[in-house]
Amino acid sequence: MFQKLQSKWKVGGWQLFLIFCVFAITGTLTAYISRQITGWLDIDRTSPWFWVLKILVLIFGYQIIILIISFPFGQFSFFWNYEKKILRRFGVSFPGNDSTVSGNTSEVSLTRIAIFASGAGSNAQKIIDRFRNHLYIKVSLVVCNKPGAGVLSIAQKEKIPFIVIDKERFFRSDAYIPVLKEHEIDFIVLAGFLWKIPTELVRAFPNKIVNIHPALLPKYGGKGMYGQFVHEAVINAGDKESGITIHFVDEQYDHGAAIFQAKCLVVDTDTATSLAEKIHVLEHIHFPRVVEEVIEVQRAR
Ligand code: GRF
């Protein structure tokens, strides 16, 4: 049950605990306040006003109190998004940050992507290009673990919000799940991201994180198998072909279910650098398209 809630709300275990605390305190406080109000106004239990007042306090007071209580617990943005969802159902719109796109006759919900990358960001650029004018898929955040990485300049140039993450917080605290939640992220694309994804984050985004690996998994995957090391290993093993694997991310390095593979030849004259170039071409052709297809399939469910 807790895991289901974590993935539905896209929160980690600790945040879920804080959210429960906010709900519990708000419930108790609202009941107390409504009792006090009916007491002060001296309204009799048998009067219909007693119940009208109680219901009003429970409906409106609760929403206000929950926002106030969420503040000291650091959960304001979670509850504010929750309130916004309720208000949207009553036709209130929030300019600039709405999760829906209005067409002529229908409303389509947005799927917001966060791209995680550590390097130059050529794949990130291709994905940004693909979705720049997309009707319902949007790159909303770039997450990077390396200050000065090329991908940060791309985010800046494309005016996409970006964050540089801290190792300690990523692995030993909330894994930045509240930040992803704040940006209403639905889907994560790892495009050359070198850190392992913490279990909390995998659980908060089940089957909603995809990675690209520059080899034909399950060969040449795992810890330490990235960049030139992968291509050197392929060449040293004398393999006649290599390629790319796009796969879902689970708790182990390069291990989740494969979604797509494409191959290229490895010839005798290839070096790690020339092989990397061939692989990059394959990545740029296929990665954005496959990401779009995965999102389309999931949206259709
Ligand atoms: C790609 O080859 C990807 O497969 C690997 O890291 C590289 C990232 O390249 N995981 P870029 O930063 O997108 O140019």
Side-chain angles (χ1 to χ4, degrees):
M1 175 200 164
F2 293 131
Q3 276 196 10
K4 265 198 185 150
L5 276 181
Q6 272 179 257
S7 87
K8 186 164 176 242
W9 291 343
K10 301 193 190 79
V11 296
W14 175 240
Q15 197 187 352
L16 190 67
F17 171 72
L18 293 175
I19 289 168
F20 281 156
C21 292
V22 174
F23 274 126
I25 295 173
T26 305
T28 316
L29 208 61
T30 314
Y32 174 76
I33 290 174
S34 89
R35 222 178 307 128
Q36 291 300 316
I37 292 178
T38 46
W40 289 328
L41 296 176
D42 202 19
I43 304 177
D44 194 77
R45 260 181 171 274
T46 52
S47 155
W49 288 111
F50 177 88
W51 295 107
V52 170
L53 204 72
K54 267 221 176 282
I55 289 168
L56 284 178
V57 172
L58 286 181
I59 294 177
F60 296 106
Y62 184 86
Q63 310 301 334
I64 296 165
I65 295 169
I66 209 162
L67 286 177
I68 298 169
I69 299 296
S70 67
F71 213 77
F73 282 83
Q75 299 309 314
F76 181 80
S77 68
F78 174 88
F79 283 97
W80 177 230
N81 284 333
Y82 169 85
E83 298 282 352
K84 279 203 285 189
K85 261 187 206 152
I86 297 174
L87 290 170
R88 272 194 201 106
R89 283 201 198 125
F90 290 96
V92 181
S93 67
F94 295 88
N97 197 24
D98 248 344
S99 279
T100 55
V101 179
S102 298
N104 279 345
T105 52
S106 59
E107 276 204 332
V108 188
S109 67
L110 270 183
T111 295
R112 295 170 189 272
I113 297 178
I115 299 179
F116 283 43
S118 310
S122 67
N123 280 287
Q125 180 71 68
K126 293 286 172 193
I127 292 166
I128 292 166
D129 292 345
R130 175 105 184 174
F131 297 122
R132 187 173 291 109
N133 295 314
H134 201 283
L135 185 60
Y136 48 82
I137 301 175
K138 182 178 174 189
V139 177
S140 297
L141 185 68
V142 168
V143 176
C144 179
N145 61 321
K146 267 199 183 161
V151 72
L152 292 173
S153 320
I154 294 176
Q156 223 161 4
K157 177 189 81 182
E158 298 284 350
K159 299 192 173 44
I160 295 173
F162 60 87
I163 51 169
V164 179
I165 57 174
D166 164 66
K167 202 167 191 170
E168 190 65 23
R169 178 168 174 193
F170 193 58
F171 290 108
R172 274 175 273 284
S173 177
D174 62 14
Y176 287 85
I177 294 171
V179 180
L180 297 172
K181 186 82 191 140
E182 222 168 88
H183 287 266
E184 298 181 49
I185 299 303
D186 306 291
F187 200 87
I188 297 175
V189 177
L190 309 185
F193 184 67
L194 295 185
W195 286 353
K196 194 162 178 274
I197 300 300
T199 304
E200 291 246 295
L201 191 49
V202 175
R203 289 204 181 141
F205 287 84
N207 282 333
K208 300 248 187 280
I209 310 179
V210 295
N211 178 42
I212 188 153
H213 186 76
L216 297 170
L217 291 174
K219 284 168 97 178
Y220 310 112
K223 197 167 165 40
M225 274 293 169
Y226 60 88
Q228 296 294 98
F229 297 116
V230 178
H231 309 309
E232 273 161 15
V234 171
I235 287 172
N236 292 341
D239 285 8
K240 295 294 171 220
E241 60 179 20
S242 187
I244 60 167
T245 305
I246 299 167
H247 65 95
F248 288 112
V249 171
D250 66 9
E251 277 106 333
Q252 296 173 47
Y253 265 120
D254 303 325
H255 178 267
I259 302 165
F260 175 86
Q261 289 192 313
K263 292 178 182 172
C264 63
L265 292 177
V266 181
V267 294
D268 292 345
T269 51
D270 265 329
T271 60
T273 310
S274 68
L275 183 53
E277 278 167 21
K278 289 185 194 175
I279 295 284
H280 255 122
V281 172
L282 283 182
E283 291 181 336
H284 296 166
I285 293 173
H286 296 290
F287 199 20
R289 177 184 59 77
V290 172
V291 167
E292 185 174 4
E293 280 171 17
V294 172
I295 292 174
E296 298 277 8
V297 169
Q298 295 191 348
R299 285 173 63 95
R301 276 184 194 146

